[in-house]
Amino acid sequence: QKGHDPLLLKAIADKIGTTVDKIADFELNLFDVQPAALGGLQTEFLYSARLDNLATVFCSVEALVEYSANIDDAEDICLVALFDHEEVGSRSAHGAGSPIMAEATRRISTGLSDKSDTLNPDLYGAVLRKSFVLSCDQAHAIHPNYSSKHESAHSPKLNAGVVIKSNSNQRYTTNSVTGFIIRELARGANLPIQEFVVRNDCPCGSTIGPIISGNTGIRTVDIGMPQLSMHSCREMMGIVDLTNGVELFKAYFGGFAALDDKLEG
C-alpha cells in the first residue's frame, strides 16, 4: 500500500469486490472508453481510440476469416500474428522482439516434416525462404494544416488506399522486391496504393517489421492505412481505407503464392 493513494486503493478494492489489505500489487491503465463514431459531411471518417493499431488488427482478422471460408484446395499456411508492446520497443517476452515468430515458424516446419517430431533443416530453410510478412502499422496521413511535413509525392491521403512505407535507413523493411509484390497484388485486386517516404530532415519511426525480418530472415514489407492524430486518445481515419485494408489482406492470402512462384532469382 505504500506509495499509493488510499482513495485509489479503496476504489480499486470496491471495484473488484475485495478489501485494500488483500491487494498485493496491481497494474492500472487509463484509456478512452467512448465508443467509436462515424463523422464527416458524408460520414466518411472514423473517430476512435487506438486505431493505431487496432484498425489493422480488425482488418487482418476479418480478411483471414473471410478467406478461410473457402480454402479446401489451399496449400499455404496463412496466419495473423498480433503482438503487444510495439509502441515501447517490442523487447518483451511476448512482443515482436521475442522468439515467438521464429518458434512458430520452426514448429510449423516440424509439423510438416516427414517425421513430425524432428525438424528437417532443409525444409525449415525452404519455409523461411518462401515465407513473406506484411508488417502492418498505421501510416501518417498528410494534415492540411501541416502539409510541409510531407514530401509532395509522398503525402498519403485519407480514403485513398493502403500506404507502402519505405526508408533507406531500414526503419521500414520495404525494398524493391517486397514493395513490388504488394503493388502487384493490389493491382490484381484493383485496389489503390499510396507511397510514403519520410522527409530527410524529419525523424522516422519504426515498426515490428525490421525486428521480425532481422530475427527470422523472412522477406517483409511495411504497409499501413493512413490516419490522423496518431497516438492521441482519439484518432481519425477514412472508412474506405478499412475496406481497402481488408481487401488487400484477402488478395495477399489468396494471391501471394502464385505471384511469388513467378518471380525469378
Side-chain angles (χ1 to χ4, degrees):
Q1 301 179 29
K2 185 179 180 180
H4 294 297
D5 187 281
L7 291 177
L8 176 61
L9 291 173
K10 180 66 166 56
I12 295 174
D14 291 344
K15 187 68 175 179
I16 63 178
T18 188
T19 57
V20 171
D21 62 294
K22 296 291 181 62
I23 299 176
D25 204 348
F26 58 88
E27 294 183 15
L28 182 64
N29 297 283
L30 303 179
F31 56 92
D32 182 15
V33 297
Q34 298 179 82
L38 298 177
L41 293 177
Q42 297 178 310
T43 320
E44 69 271 37
F45 300 127
L46 172 66
Y47 304 98
S48 178
R50 302 178 294 282
L51 288 175
D52 176 43
N53 194 32
L54 293 183
T56 300
V57 170
F58 170 79
C59 289
S60 60
V61 174
E62 280 288 304
L64 186 60
V65 170
E66 292 185 29
Y67 170 72
S68 63
N70 186 24
I71 56 172
D72 294 339
D73 298 327
E75 298 180 353
D76 306 303
I77 295 174
C78 298
L79 63 88
V80 173
L82 311 174
F83 295 99
D84 283 338
H85 304 147
E86 186 270 336
E87 297 292 357
V88 293
S90 297
R91 296 294 177 181
S92 66
H94 46 283
S98 71
I100 291 177
M101 182 63 82
E103 284 300 312
T105 308
R106 185 181 299 275
R107 292 185 182 189
I108 291 171
S109 301
T110 301
L112 295 175
S113 297
D114 294 334
K115 297 180 179 180
S116 60
D117 59 344
T118 304
L119 176 62
N120 182 331
D122 292 333
L123 176 61
Y124 181 57
V127 168
L128 292 178
R129 185 180 65 82
K130 295 292 289 183
S131 295
F132 194 91
V133 171
L134 298 186
S135 169
C136 304
D137 198 7
Q138 294 286 87
H140 289 279
I142 186 171
H143 193 292
N145 292 339
Y146 303 97
S147 58
S148 61
K149 292 293 185 180
H150 283 74
E151 295 283 1
S152 59
H154 298 274
S155 303
K157 298 177 177 62
L158 300 182
N159 287 319
V162 174
V163 180
I164 297 177
K165 299 184 280 188
S166 304
N167 182 261
S168 59
N169 292 326
Q170 300 303 304
R171 303 294 286 173
Y172 303 134
T173 55
T174 307
N175 58 35
S176 58
V177 175
T178 61
F180 168 80
I181 288 173
I182 291 302
R183 294 184 193 99
E184 281 297 291
L185 290 173
R187 184 181 65 82
N190 196 30
L191 294 170
I193 283 290
Q194 305 186 82
E195 304 279 347
F196 174 72
V197 176
V198 73
R199 283 174 54 108
N200 286 338
D201 58 348
C202 293
C204 182
S206 191
T207 68
I208 65 172
I211 297 172
I212 292 176
S213 181
N215 285 347
T216 65
I218 297 175
R219 294 171 295 170
T220 308
V221 65
D222 270 291
I223 64 174
M225 294 175 290
Q227 72 163 73
L228 295 174
S229 304
M230 189 178 293
H231 302 156
S232 299
C233 67
R234 200 76 172 167
E235 300 175 333
M236 171 184 176
M237 69 177 294
I239 61 171
V240 174
D241 289 321
L242 290 169
T243 301
N244 290 331
V246 171
E247 293 302 317
L248 183 59
F249 274 114
K250 288 166 60 178
Y252 168 65
F253 291 140
F256 165 72
L259 175 61
D260 193 42
D261 287 340
K262 296 178 182 178
L263 298 180
E264 298 181 359

